Amino acid sequence: MGKRKGVESSIALADSAAMCRIEAIAAYPITPQTHIVEHLSEWVNDGHLEAEFVPVESEHSAMSAALGMSAVGARTFTATSSQGLALMHEILFIAPAMRLPVVMAVANRSLSGPISIWNDHSDIMTDRDIGWVQIFAENGQECFDLVPACFRVAEDKRVVLPTILNFDGFVVSHMIEPIEFWTQEQFDAYLPPFDPQIKLDVRKPVAMGAVGIPEIYYEARLAQQNALLNAKAVVVEAFAELEKMVGRKYNLVETYKADDADAILYLMGSLSETAMTAVDNLRKQGKKVGLVRPRLWRPFPTEELVAAFGNVPVVGVCDRALAFGHEHHMVAQEIRALFYDAPHRPKLVEFVIGLGGRDVTIGDMEHILNRLLEVKNGAPVGPVEYVGVRK
Amino acid sequence: MIEQYNVYAAKLLPPEELFASGHKACQGCAPALALRYLMKALGPNTIVCNATGCMEIVSSAYPDIAWGVPWIHVAFENAAAVASGVESGIKILQRKGKLAPGRINVVAIGGDGGTFDIGLQALSGMLERGHNAMYLCYDNEAYMNTGIQRSSGTPFGASTTTSPAGKAIPGQKTVKKDLLEIGVAHQIAYAATACTSYPFDFMEKVKKAFSYDGAKLIHILAPCPTGWRTNPGEVIKHGRLAVQTGMFPLYEVDHGRYKMSMDLPFLKPLKMYLSPQGRYRHLSEEQIAIIEANLKARYAKLQALCRITAEV
Amino acid sequence: MAKNPMELKWQEIPLGFVWHQPKSSLNNHTGSWRSERPIWDEQHCIRCGVCALFCPEACIRTDERGYFHADLDYCKGCSICAHECWTGCIKMKPEEA
């Protein structure tokens, strides 16, 4: 077992990527992702990591260069946030179509405007449908543990898709916490060397990125969709092996006191730690509330979510970004869609919370959980509630 | 230039075509010729990173791939960034012993739109970081793939579908951006202009570029009969006239040292170049005089740069 | 015989839509675009090869006697060869309707 260190999550994440023996990095600085790429450039410049660090001139070029690196068969890593992710947008769609298993850490941050460096999920919600495997980490330990899991899934012969590790900007990225490091031997045992399934090789020329004429585009896109859907089983396997290696259990869907709950709150990212405290407080008052969070976001764990919600009569949904022009925001839309075909359809109460770094208190979470119980006891569901906004 | 060679020199080209027949370029496409010469100069140990554009579309429409070397296309504005990644990936894999040592030529290819305009930032990044790769801009002086819209590589006065020869505004209002000088400003190892009408000059420049480590840029004028509204059979003649009138001087900048590629005893009258082209048909005598004065000034400046830098 | 690439089902799409046959464009016979064909007059041909040099289709090759001819499977009839020929030995002849 590795050592336990008090370290910032970003640094631990970068250490984890380095210990995955990444070979190529293309990155551009953006707050709050910067500590990751700074630390990786230290690894490289100090001679501790045999890799090429390419400090590109934009995030668009970061993703483009990353695809070039991956296309010749190098294990490739990058990291970004917010506007950087938005600038990559065009290329993000091309990476999974070309089946290049780049891994990217995204420190989730609000999108302009107004410009805001603080945390919410408006960046990643915009890039929900890009075709990458997407996983959420909620604290520093999870960031450290899940980087090798991302590479393992991305490079698996049954997957071969780029993978994003999401975690909240500042709230997680800049938090210093005790993190148990794996040993290099554990990394090497968990993550085999990258064995590219396709590559640019002068001895065996191939064409990557050909034009998809109408006779073939549709089939190519459906092949990609099925590849992503099929990745779920490999994620399960990667999590199981991770547990065997270091003893920490990760699930496609994480639950907290949800089994016997009268009301369940569904949320994403680091808010869960605040919400758990609120759940505990309410439980002390005899109120049966619980939490459900997606660990794996894409491919969407439909069955696991339906099972996690069970027969609960009321579900609350927290959105951390707005779907402008729609009464139901993105996470709420997904959960509404989830229940359309489910055997049991609970009442759904929608909240927006914590936009642009707005503080989310235990009191806010208790308010939300109490609202769910009121609905359970017959109160009307009402429209989406914007928690914590001045009105 | 070809006059300087034995007429049979054409037969000395390597016979292998790594940019193959069956591509879907228009009749008389000089950019396709540029790629053919590029591949003759480089041979099979080459990886091509292609920007979206005419040459990407015509050479890779599924399932007809014209390339005989590894080829990658990602998007429009990022050929230089993709090439940066390919070059870096090769470097690390060779250093780690995962890839056999030896030179692999990495080339990024873009048209004038993909280079002068949307891809300029990525190009600057690749040149500034000094990747051991070459950027080839095949310049046909407008966005031909989308239907002949003006780019910042379109010359003053040229009529395109977004700089039409109107009564109020007769064609392109701006002068052609000087791409090579932008490249030179990055202090790269090698930069050169070329023209598809002078294939041996171009191929020698490609070979020279790859004799140096670091980033290199070649800007090749490649006439487009479709967009220039000319006879497809005359693209070689028109390219030659572009060079001989001084409209597109051939020169190289080798580690900062300028050198003209051809000694032209005099510049041919510009009208010889302009008049066969539909895109210039509307030009007034005044406009032609402006163009000619500009090109003479630029030509004189280049000659001066050759003299000055020869002494450095 | 490999399956017609236009008839692939989604399950049969190669990984990453990567195309593994270099120079497969040779299957695309662009000769059908042509309205005129180049004809060489061998009496005047000096076998210099300038026609082959400037052919954008890379379709002009020598026969066993060293004379040049266009591969009509690919020749699009652009007439560059006829314009560039030193001796003027190449004439463009309209294709029969």
Side-chain angles (χ1 to χ4, degrees), chain A residues 198-224:
Chain A
I198 38 177
K199 64 177 175 186
L200 299 170
D201 180 350
V202 292
R203 290 164 307 176
K204 204 174 174 306
V206 296
M208 303 176 79
V211 179
I213 58 174
E215 287 83 346
I216 204 75
Y217 178 89
Y218 196 173
E219 283 72 20
R221 295 296 266 189
L222 195 59
Q224 191 192 325

Side-chain angles (χ1 to χ4, degrees), chain B residues 140 150 213 227 280:
Chain B
N140 53 19
R150 67 81 77 183
D213 279 340
Y280 290 126

Side-chain angles (χ1 to χ4, degrees), chain A residues 219-239:
Chain A
E219 283 72 20
R221 295 296 266 189
L222 195 59
Q224 191 192 325
Q225 158 76 342
N226 280 283
L228 184 53
L229 291 176
N230 292 338
K232 199 164 90 172
V234 179
V235 179
V236 171
E237 212 177 277
F239 286 172

Side-chain angles (χ1 to χ4, degrees), chain B residues 11 21 25 27 62-63 240, chain C residues 5 24-25 47 55 57 76 84:
Chain B
K11 291 198 202 170
S21 308
Q27 291 176 321
Y62 174 96
R240 218 178 274 133
Chain C
S24 51
S25 65
R47 297 184 286 182
C55 176
E57 310 310 322
K76 293 172 186 166
E84 292 306 312

Side-chain angles (χ1 to χ4, degrees), chain A residues 40 53 106 110 118 122 137 140 157 190 215 218 279 297 325 330 383:
Chain A
L40 280 173
F53 184 98
V106 180
S110 49
W118 291 277
S122 48
K157 285 176 194 179
Y190 181 75
E215 287 83 346
Y218 196 173
V279 166
W297 188 37
M330 285 81 131

Side-chain angles (χ1 to χ4, degrees), chain A residues 230-279:
Chain A
N230 292 338
K232 199 164 90 172
V234 179
V235 179
V236 171
E237 212 177 277
F239 286 172
E241 291 298 315
L242 197 159
E243 187 187 1
K244 269 192 226 163
M245 183 71 64
V246 295
R248 279 179 292 278
K249 185 164 172 56
Y250 291 95
N251 303 288
L252 301 191
V253 170
E254 304 287 2
T255 59
Y256 185 70
K257 300 187 177 174
D259 286 350
D260 65 339
D262 290 330
I264 289 176
L265 183 62
Y266 177 80
L267 36 71
M268 297 168 68
S270 63
L271 281 187
S272 62
E273 304 215 343
T274 310
M276 281 184 212
T277 309
V279 166

Side-chain angles (χ1 to χ4, degrees), chain B residues 184-204:
Chain B
V184 170
H186 290 78
Q187 305 183 60
I188 53 177
Y190 187 77
T193 61
C195 176
T196 41
S197 301
Y198 298 89
F200 291 99
D201 173 67
F202 171 49
M203 289 185 278
E204 277 174 15

